Amino acid sequence: MALYGAAAAVLEALERGEGGLKALVYNSRFPHVRQLYALVSETLRYAAVLEKVLSGAGLLQAEKKLSPQLAKVLVYDLLFGKGLKCGGRWKALARRHRARLQAELARLKVQQKVSRNEELLSPAQAASPAASQVPRYVRVNTLKTCVDDVIDFFKRQGYSYLGKAGSVEELRALSGKKFLLDLHLPELLVFPPQTDFHDNLLYTSGHIILQDKASCLPAFLLSPAPGSHVIDACAAPGNKTSHLAAILKNKGQIFAFDMDTKRLATMNTLLMRAGVTGFQLAQQDFLTVDPTEPRYSKVTYILLDPSCSGSGMLSRVPGQEAAVGAQRLRALAAFQRRALAHALRFPALRRLVYSTCSLHREENEDVVWAVLQESGSAFRLVDAFPAWPCRGLAAFPGAESCLRASPADTLTHGFFVAVLEPCGEGAAVPSSLPAAAEEKPQCGEGTEPGAAPKKRKRKKQRVKE
Ligand code: SAM
């Protein structure tokens, strides 16, 4: 796919809340990821200006075949970027409208009494985005290696290991070629922001997964016991599925569903690379999965990470979260409620984790509360991970049992997690302790949600170099 088409596809996926900018770019299969990343992130930075220029010039009305995302990418490159060096027919189309677009840009500058393009950006857009403050989190894939070996590997690559972090402030202070073990999650290493490991051998061989800390919470809190049957309801591109498989030690069965063929293909590649076995991928609407089918009769754990507004993803332009329209938010929340209610219909369910990368209460606490109320007293919210500092908004009594994450409080992307369990007899799993508490990884230090960190013996296993 050509650069502009690939950039427009990433923008569309971002708008659908299908992941963060970096992940979408790297999963796009576009050969020049840095070029693609730079184009998309700059287009996002200028999105508000581009929308004004596009509407003033009437480009989308004149060119009905042009999607708003492709139009933004083309006009960004034409007016602010490298001036459409490639692009074939799209380049020709955009150039036909060049004079009108340039006039519209000039009009905006006059209106705002500025002379440079940069001055059209709000201070937040002009400043480095919050994403640049969030560390590079590296999840060790315990299906292929262990924490000690990965630490040794990075030491051999010239990084200094500073031990286990004692506070979020220590993570914030990281700089240079230094790294820490995370204070909350046992298999997570933390490097300074902007550290790029996409070309690192450990990443390309599936020994490490580049995953934001907040997005590691759902599988960590679901904590299925090895041997369990697990559903990952909205699974692609599969970082959480591979995390689940690592917790299961590849023992058990994961039923993973997603609607999107392309994302499922990427997911298949990622799972293979991560050494995941014992999973069934299905291109299926989770809402049509029949909970009474015999093959799901032993499903005791469900992870539900549905499509959302993605307003917590920091790679976006600051303030973009406000642009999610009320109608879209209502539609997303309606789907999320249906999916959560559907998930609770699986007869053997013992624990469910609901998560989003949205900041909106409508997609988070409100969804959980509505479905809990619908369920009568069949399910309850578990007070998950008491040590986690950032809690649910006070939308209903007990909402503080939910977890939130944010760049300011947890030095992560914005995120929401709720853990639900059946009340009464079905609730065989103790509330705030994962069922896999006794079954921790063979190497690495384990921290159970809510429990003090314990020293564990680490089994040596060489990382292939
Ligand atoms: N859990 C994934 C991960 O960690 O890589 C990210 C999931 S993303 C937030 C939401 C996913 O839900 C998208 O891949 C989307 O295609 C999928 N989806 C949307 N509606 C769905 C449905 N009705 N059934 C199954 N999957 C759905």
Side-chain angles (χ1 to χ4, degrees):
M1 194 194 293
L3 176 65
Y4 299 125
V10 170
L11 285 178
E12 281 167 30
L14 268 174
E15 282 173 22
R16 288 195 299 267
E18 290 173 1
L21 175 56
K22 272 195 185 150
L24 290 168
V25 166
Y26 282 99
N27 294 337
S28 69
R29 301 196 180 159
F30 187 74
H32 311 292
V33 282
R34 287 207 173 93
Q35 190 188 15
L36 179 61
Y37 183 82
L39 178 60
V40 178
S41 52
E42 280 303 287
T43 304
L44 283 169
R45 210 155 72 90
Y46 275 90
V49 179
L50 290 167
E51 272 158 24
K52 285 183 195 152
V53 171
L54 282 173
S55 117
L59 183 64
L60 290 170
Q61 287 72 36
E63 300 290 349
K64 298 275 185 241
K65 285 193 177 148
L66 203 55
S67 73
Q69 296 79 10
L70 184 55
K72 274 189 208 159
V73 172
L74 291 169
V75 175
Y76 167 78
D77 213 24
L78 181 72
L79 297 181
F80 307 110
K82 295 195 164 66
L84 294 173
K85 293 245 180 299
C86 54
R89 69 189 171 110
W90 296 122
K91 175 161 110 178
L93 179 150
R95 282 193 169 160
R96 275 204 304 277
H97 295 269
R98 179 162 36 192
R100 205 142 21 119
L101 291 163
Q102 282 173 335
E104 202 49 44
L105 176 62
R107 203 181 59 79
L108 263 186
K109 284 184 181 167
V110 171
Q111 200 180 47
Q112 298 193 17
K113 299 191 178 78
V114 299
S115 55
R116 293 187 308 115
N117 293 338
E118 277 271 317
E119 291 170 309
L120 287 169
L121 301 176
S122 70
Q125 289 158 352
S128 60
S132 64
Q133 316 300 321
V134 170
R136 155 59 62 208
Y137 292 103
V138 168
R139 177 166 66 77
V140 174
N141 178 11
T142 52
L143 290 175
K144 288 204 157 178
T145 182
C146 67
V147 173
D148 279 351
D149 281 357
V150 173
I151 290 174
D152 286 346
F153 180 92
F154 281 118
K155 282 186 185 165
R156 287 198 297 280
Q157 292 207 324
Y159 286 90
S160 309
Y161 177 55
L162 306 181
K164 183 170 173 174
S167 67
V168 171
E169 288 321 305
E170 272 183 56
L171 306 186
R172 206 187 299 276
L174 263 182
S175 65
K177 285 196 94 176
K178 296 186 184 121
F179 70 110
L180 288 157
L181 185 64
D182 185 60
L183 65 156
H184 292 114
L185 301 182
E187 285 115 25
L188 201 64
L189 298 175
V190 192
F191 291 79
Q194 321 303 342
T195 311
D196 188 1
F197 288 132
H198 285 94
D199 295 329
N200 190 287
L201 178 69
L202 286 194
Y203 174 69
T204 53
S205 62
H207 285 70
I208 58 170
I209 314 286
L210 304 178
Q211 189 172 355
D212 182 60
K213 175 172 170 176
S215 121
C216 295
L217 286 172
F220 176 66
L221 293 175
L222 190 64
S223 196
S228 311
H229 286 201
V230 181
I231 282 182
D232 191 346
C234 296
N239 273 345
K240 295 183 191 76
T241 319
S242 86
H243 194 185
L244 285 171
I247 293 167
L248 287 167
K249 300 179 179 170
N250 264 343
K251 292 179 192 143
Q253 183 65 51
I254 301 178
F255 301 98
F257 302 96
D258 205 282
M259 305 261 280
D260 188 315
T261 326
K262 262 204 208 152
R263 285 163 70 85
L264 281 169
T266 307
M267 176 164 175
N268 203 38
T269 312
L270 292 183
L271 294 187
M272 292 300 185
R273 187 166 76 188
V276 177
T277 59
F279 64 93
Q280 287 178 27
L281 276 191
Q283 190 201 359
Q284 188 175 348
D285 178 349
F286 173 62
L287 298 175
T288 68
V289 178
D290 181 357
T292 63
E293 257 195 57
R295 78 175 110 163
Y296 306 125
S297 64
K298 291 193 208 146
V299 169
T300 41
Y301 297 89
I302 297 183
L303 194 155
L304 174 62
D305 184 42
S307 292
C308 68
S309 62
S311 53
M313 301 309 294
L314 292 174
S315 310
R316 298 171 165 224
V317 179
Q320 188 174 336
E321 59 274 17
V324 181
Q327 202 180 348
R328 172 149 168 78
L329 212 51
R330 267 198 303 278
L332 282 165
F335 165 68
Q336 291 151 355
R337 271 206 304 277
R338 283 183 70 200
L340 181 54
H342 188 68
L344 296 186
R345 291 176 53 214
F346 285 77
L349 183 65
R350 298 277 189 87
R351 178 179 288 150
L352 175 142
V353 167
Y354 172 79
S355 61
T356 74
C357 56
S358 164
L359 303 172
H360 296 288
R361 172 185 150 162
E362 292 89 327
E363 298 181 89
N364 297 328
E365 289 87 354
D366 289 358
V367 168
V368 170
W369 183 228
V371 175
L372 276 176
Q373 283 183 305
E374 269 166 36
S375 86
S377 50
F379 285 86
R380 70 195 173 91
L381 197 54
V382 174
D383 190 9
F385 210 172
W388 189 257
C390 196
R391 315 302 304 186
L393 303 179
F396 60 89
E400 66 279 1
S401 295
C402 305
L403 273 63
R404 275 184 171 251
S406 71
D409 297 312
T410 53
L411 217 52
T412 63
H413 288 251
F415 215 78
F416 173 87
V417 188
V419 183
L420 272 62
E421 286 179 1
C423 301
E425 285 169 22
V429 184
S431 64
S432 59
L433 190 70
E438 331 77 70
E439 300 259 15
K440 290 313 289 178
Q442 292 157 331
C443 57
E445 270 182 7
T447 310
E448 306 308 337
K454 288 177 192 154
K455 282 265 175 211
R456 286 172 210 276
K457 203 162 179 295
R458 289 173 182 171
K459 189 178 128 196
K460 286 280 171 199
Q461 185 189 336
R462 282 248 70 79
V463 175
K464 287 192 196 85
E465 286 177 82

